[in-house]
Amino acid sequence: MANQRVGLYPGTFDPITLGHMDIIRRGLCLMDKMVIGVATNPGKGPLFSLEERIEMVERETAPLANSSGVEIQVEPFSGLLVEFATKMGAKFVVRGLRAVADFEYEFQMVGMNAHLNPDVETVFLMASEKYSFIASRLVKEIAQLGGEVESFLSPAVARDLKQRVGQT
Ligand code: ADP
């Protein structure tokens, strides 16, 4: 399709949470195709390898692609976001907003990215208040401390995480 609206949703997804899923569900209404960019992010010391994170995102989002009819392509990425967006043919980037702390960081990022490539627009979505407090980093900490993570993750991802931290 020549005028396909392609959006890029980038993140670390270590692991994918119900918050990410909610943003993806909302984002799909805005586009014909969503590229989910899974950042290599070695600096963040991910708990799951890049391959594992990609596989989880593919597995978790397949039903959403089916039900919405919007194509979802999951791709690894490193380097500049705006360059990756251009390479994937994405005219806009989707980001999720949780709290004021996210806003401050994102505000700077949008400004910098706009300088690097003014043709790539950033769209912000807010998750349902049920999910708006969920952050992968905290979910991992809870799991490592032996807490329940089932309310923040899909059953399959919760299982993967508990296995990874040796809870099961
Ligand atoms: P995290 O910040 O949880 O480690 P990512 O770096 O993978 O997650 O985040 C990718 C994008 O998804 C970011 O724009 C982030 O703000 C957004 N996001 C993550 N969790 C939520 C949530 N619970 N509600 C709204 N947006 C979220």
Side-chain angles (χ1 to χ4, degrees):
M1 228 193 295
N3 284 325
Q4 228 193 1
R5 282 170 310 166
V6 182
L8 167 66
Y9 180 42
T12 314
F13 305 104
D14 186 40
I16 184 166
T17 68
L18 296 182
H20 292 127
M21 294 289 284
D22 195 51
I23 297 294
I24 294 169
R25 206 173 295 115
R26 288 163 196 272
L28 288 175
C29 306
L30 307 172
M31 55 191 83
D32 305 305
K33 174 177 167 181
M34 177 183 278
V35 177
I36 304 183
V38 181
T40 39
N41 254 341
K44 266 195 175 177
L47 188 61
F48 292 96
S49 71
L50 179 64
E51 292 70 26
E52 288 170 328
R53 286 180 281 134
I54 289 176
E55 222 177 275
M56 278 192 265
V57 173
E58 279 175 343
R59 183 187 71 202
E60 297 297 317
T61 58
L64 290 182
N66 273 336
S67 59
S68 66
V70 177
E71 185 190 345
I72 297 181
Q73 183 181 345
V74 185
E75 290 287 334
F77 94 98
S78 54
L80 283 179
L81 182 67
V82 283
E83 275 177 13
F84 182 63
T86 308
K87 184 175 142 209
M88 300 311 296
K91 282 273 190 286
F92 64 98
V93 171
V94 171
R95 298 287 291 167
L97 273 187
R98 282 166 292 202
V100 183
D102 274 352
F103 177 80
E104 284 176 8
Y105 174 74
E106 297 289 343
F107 180 79
Q108 282 191 314
M109 282 280 285
V110 170
M112 307 280 274
N113 284 337
H115 272 280
L116 295 172
N117 186 343
D119 294 333
V120 177
E121 203 56 68
T122 305
V123 174
F124 291 101
L125 297 173
M126 285 172 83
S128 146
E129 35 98 20
K130 279 195 299 227
Y131 307 123
S132 59
F133 56 88
I134 303 174
S136 298
R137 183 178 58 80
L138 295 174
V139 175
K140 283 184 283 188
E141 271 181 38
I142 292 169
Q144 272 154 349
L145 296 169
E148 290 291 328
V149 289
E150 278 74 5
S151 335
F152 316 124
L153 305 170
S154 77
V157 176
R159 236 178 355 254
D160 292 340
L161 178 58
K162 281 158 83 169
Q163 211 162 35
R164 179 53 48 96
V165 300
Q167 245 197 57
T168 52

